[in-house]
C-alpha cells in the first residue's frame, strides 16, 4: 500500500472532507434558522401606534406615510 492510503485508514484520524462538510452544513443551518426567525418576527409583530404629525412635516419633522391608527 502507498503511504497516503495507509495514513487515511488510521483510526483516530479526522477525515477533513467530512469535517469541512459538517462545518459548512452547520453554518448553513444556522443561517437558515436565523433568517426564518427574522421572517417569523417580521410577520407576527405589530408595532404600537406612536405619535406622529398629522400634517405635512416641516422643520425636520416627519409624518407617517400611511398611519395605521
Amino acid at each position: 500500500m502507498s503511504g497516503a492510503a495507509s495514513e487515511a485508514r488510521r483510526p483516530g484520524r479526522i477525515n477533513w472532507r467530512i469535517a469541512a462538510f459538517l462545518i459548512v452544513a452547520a453554518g448553513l443551518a444556522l443561517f437558515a434558522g436565523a433568517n426564518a426567525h427574522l421572517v417569523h418576527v417580521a410577520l407576527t409583530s405589530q408595532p404600537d401606534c406612536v405619535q406622529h404629525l398629522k400634517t405635512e412635516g416641516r422643520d425636520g419633522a416627519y409624518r407617517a406615510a400611511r398611519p395605521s391608527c
Side-chain angles (χ1 to χ4, degrees):
M1 269 201 241
S2 69
S6 64
E7 285 182 25
R9 293 183 182 163
R10 241 192 277 172
R13 292 272 308 181
I14 297 174
N15 188 343
W16 290 108
R17 283 189 181 176
I18 293 174
F21 175 77
L22 291 175
I23 291 169
V24 169
L28 288 174
L30 182 67
F31 182 76
N35 281 311
H37 173 70
L38 289 174
V39 169
H40 170 71
V41 169
L43 294 176
T44 59
S45 66
Q46 178 63 36
D48 291 333
C49 192
V50 296
Q51 291 287 53
H52 59 87
L53 297 175
K54 303 288 184 186
T55 61
E56 218 34 64
R58 50 182 175 227
D59 298 328
Y62 296 102
R63 67 183 183 121
R66 256 201 239 160
S68 61
C69 51

